[in-house]
Amino acid sequence: MNKFEKITTGLGEECGVFGAYDMSGGDVAPTIYYGLFALQHRGQESCGIAVTDTNGERKVHFKKGLGLVNEVFDSESLHALNGNLGVGHVRYSTAGASKAENAMPLVINYVKGVLAIAHNGNLTNAIELRHELERTGAIFQTTIDSEVIAYHIARERLKAGTAEAAVRNAMGKIEGAYALVVTSPRKMIGARDPFGLKPLCIGKRDNTYFLASESCAIAAVGGEFVRDVEPGEIVTFTKDGIQSDMSMAIDPAKHARCIFEYIYFARTDSTIDQVNVYHSRIIAGKALAQSYPVEADLVVGVPDSGLVAAKGYSEASGIPYGMAFHKNSYVGRTFIKPTQNERESSVKIKLNVIEEVVKDKRIVMVDDSIVRGTTCANIIRMLKKAGAKEVHVRISSPPFLYPCYFGTDVPSNEQLIAHSHTTEQIREMIGADSLGYMEVDKLKEMVGDLGYCDACFTGNYPMEVPDEDISHAFD
């Protein structure tokens, strides 16, 4: 980046989708804006909103760009987005580079009209599908797999009687993880992959229906949570009501929801597939306390996703819970810092230790994951510099050993510290006095009877996956 370097710490979030259909004809762009704001934690690289008037001409008005929701949109740009049906998206690039042309929603003009599409997830067969399309004359404008989905829906619509049938037919070809919100000139359609890897739920406020990645976004716009979209379900919203198509559903025993939604991605005030995220993280912390007890004076969590698990650890262990860090709320997951010779630690820009809290204390520090180990090591150094006598690290996920192909930016094996080091070696490398990871078989305590995917810890993928990294295949 020439004079500046983009700093990324921790895991990559997924993306967030939000759709709204006001049956009374009111403009939905301001509501979508606030819905995206509530989903900002899922992606901070780009965002966009596309709207259409179901009672007017078949035209889609849209705006998208690089940056946070409040950087891309202002009151003037929202006022210009007139329409009672729309879809929004916040993006973190798990497939395709961080470029303006890769921002979503994708707006496709074709012979049957216009489609707007927002997608969270990753396709595992995107490369072969894209090459197949290219050989039949398709011209791609982006480097994201979502455009492959858009093309297939548009092509299927030429043969299918309805837009929802086109979505269903396209689902028969695409493989991988996806939560989709699609708007045609008169309909809003939501679809979830048959394994349920990506979350999607339905909400309602007066005469407006919503589709959202998380229930927290529905609450943020004053809506009432209705239900989750089921794995493999296609839901269609028209002026005549809601229709459900379960023809793409699979045996519930094969469902594989991403366990990292509950560990890290989702906001603590969300409920996904009837499991409350806050509760699941409390359970994780308690499991850690049972597996890895230690004599200490204080339990602290690394903001934000480690805080609730730390509270669970405190409750189960009887060790007091405290706040040891001040987080700079104005720094996102990625940010710009001066070139390499700048001495300020990138972690310190985001977090500062409250010395009065940790001085002369034995600390249990709870975090959600260790990816490369550098962030954790920096935080431990900060705690010890502030006077902590001991730092015992507890991680509310098992060690990352395998890459994710479903939309979580888990890096390649070579970059995963746990792939080539033992727990004891990692403990030494990060400077912790002890280190304990969540045990794989205790993950089920977090989500009860839900089927989940833990492939990044176990290598047990719910479907066939590529034998190489495909995240930037089209860049």
Side-chain angles (χ1 to χ4, degrees):
M1 291 180 64
N2 300 329
K3 192 177 172 186
F4 294 99
E5 176 192 5
K6 181 176 166 186
I7 301 300
T8 305
T9 58
L11 279 179
E13 284 90 347
E14 310 193 333
C15 297
V17 298
F18 190 90
Y21 188 176
D22 186 344
M23 307 290 182
S24 300
D27 288 338
V28 294
T31 299
I32 294 173
Y33 171 86
Y34 288 115
L36 294 182
F37 212 85
L39 295 172
Q40 188 76 84
H41 60 287
R42 297 185 71 86
Q44 295 111 39
E45 291 192 6
S46 64
C47 60
I49 296 174
V51 298
T52 188
D53 181 359
T54 62
N55 301 307
E57 58 178 337
R58 298 191 170 204
K59 185 176 181 182
V60 173
H61 305 277
F62 66 94
K63 178 179 172 62
K64 52 188 179 177
L66 295 175
L68 302 175
V69 176
N70 64 340
E71 294 170 341
V72 172
F73 295 97
D74 54 24
S75 56
E76 188 178 334
S77 60
L78 287 173
H79 187 70
L81 294 171
N82 298 315
N84 66 318
L85 169 61
V87 60
H89 188 270
V90 289
R91 180 171 187 263
Y92 172 81
S93 60
T94 56
S98 181
K99 301 174 182 174
E101 61 264 31
N102 286 342
M104 283 194 266
L106 295 176
V107 178
I108 305 293
N109 289 281
Y110 71 122
V111 69
K112 288 277 190 176
V114 188
L115 291 174
I117 297 174
H119 166 221
N120 168 30
N122 257 30
L123 301 187
T124 53
N125 65 338
I127 295 175
E128 57 201 78
L129 289 180
R130 178 157 167 156
H131 289 164
E132 176 190 307
L133 287 164
E134 286 171 334
R135 283 193 293 269
T136 56
I139 299 171
F140 287 84
Q141 307 294 321
T142 77
T143 61
I144 56 176
D145 57 356
S146 310
E147 194 173 8
V148 171
I149 301 174
Y151 260 113
H152 272 289
I153 293 174
R155 287 196 169 189
E156 291 298 328
R157 181 67 182 91
L158 300 179
K159 300 177 283 185
T162 62
E164 57 269 35
V167 170
R168 182 182 66 239
N169 294 345
M171 285 174 68
K173 296 183 176 181
I174 62 177
E175 296 169 7
Y178 52 88
L180 298 174
V181 179
V182 181
T183 61
S184 70
R186 304 286 184 268
K187 295 174 181 175
M188 178 171 72
I189 302 164
R192 193 174 176 192
D193 70 75
F195 293 92
L197 280 153
K198 300 301 168 199
L200 191 64
C201 62
I202 302 168
K204 189 174 188 290
R205 183 191 67 204
D206 300 326
N207 213 22
T208 302
Y209 284 92
F210 304 113
L211 285 167
S213 289
E214 292 183 40
S215 60
C216 68
I218 291 168
V221 298
E224 175 190 346
F225 174 82
V226 175
R227 66 175 179 88
D228 293 285
V229 176
E230 294 296 323
E233 184 181 15
I234 303 164
V235 285
T236 306
F237 300 80
T238 69
K239 59 181 175 53
D240 299 319
I242 308 175
Q243 289 181 314
S244 169
D245 178 349
M246 293 294 293
S247 60
M248 299 303 294
I250 61 174
D251 182 350
K254 295 180 180 178
H255 287 173
R257 297 160 182 85
C258 175
I259 193 66
F260 235 76
E261 290 289 348
Y262 301 96
I263 295 170
Y264 174 72
F265 292 129
R267 247 173 57 168
T268 50
D269 54 336
S270 286
T271 296
I272 298 174
D273 290 319
Q274 296 163 358
V275 173
N276 180 266
V277 174
Y278 178 90
H279 178 71
S280 68
R281 290 179 189 168
I282 290 284
I283 296 294
K286 289 182 175 181
L288 278 173
Q290 290 160 3
S291 298
Y292 306 101
V294 68
E295 286 189 18
D297 304 306
L298 193 69
V299 181
V300 304
V302 178
D304 287 311
S305 47
L307 296 175
V308 180
K311 190 171 186 304
Y313 192 103
S314 169
E315 289 178 6
S317 66
I319 303 169
Y321 172 77
M323 301 291 288
F325 303 100
H326 171 77
K327 182 184 178 187
N328 185 341
S329 302
Y330 302 98
V331 178
R333 185 188 161 272
T334 58
F335 53 96
I336 303 298
K337 85 162 189 179
T339 45
Q340 294 285 9
N341 58 7
E342 170 59 62
R343 294 183 185 180
E344 277 287 327
S345 159
S346 57
V347 174
K348 247 190 141 174
I349 296 171
K350 292 181 76 169
L351 290 179
N352 252 351
V353 174
I354 305 169
E355 188 175 326
E356 290 74 10
V357 175
V358 303
K359 189 173 172 59
D360 296 324
K361 290 191 174 71
R362 298 167 297 174
I363 303 294
V364 176
M365 185 186 92
V366 182
D367 203 357
D368 59 80
S369 60
I370 299 178
V371 184
R372 298 173 183 86
T374 49
T375 301
C376 192
N378 280 335
I379 296 172
I380 292 167
R381 272 195 296 272
M382 287 162 58
L383 284 168
K384 293 200 170 181
K385 188 177 178 183
K389 289 198 295 188
E390 298 172 5
V391 179
H392 301 274
V393 175
R394 300 293 179 263
I395 303 298
S396 61
S397 64
F400 281 114
L401 298 172
Y402 303 92
C404 176
Y405 297 94
F406 308 125
T408 303
D409 191 17
V410 178
S412 59
N413 287 351
E414 300 73 46
Q415 298 178 65
L416 294 170
I417 190 171
H419 183 73
S420 52
H421 298 88
T422 65
T423 299
E424 175 58 20
Q425 287 172 332
I426 296 168
R427 183 200 66 76
E428 285 184 20
M429 292 168 73
I430 63 177
D433 290 276
S434 69
L435 171 61
Y437 286 95
M438 171 72 83
E439 296 174 58
V440 170
D441 61 358
K442 290 199 171 183
L443 289 171
K444 59 180 176 289
E445 295 177 18
M446 296 177 64
V447 294
D449 296 330
L450 284 185
Y452 58 87
C453 175
D454 59 9
C456 50
F457 312 128
T458 64
N460 297 324
Y461 297 97
M463 65 185 84
E464 240 182 89
V465 294
D467 53 12
E468 60 183 351
D469 181 13
I470 60 171
S471 59
H472 294 281
F474 308 132
D475 290 346

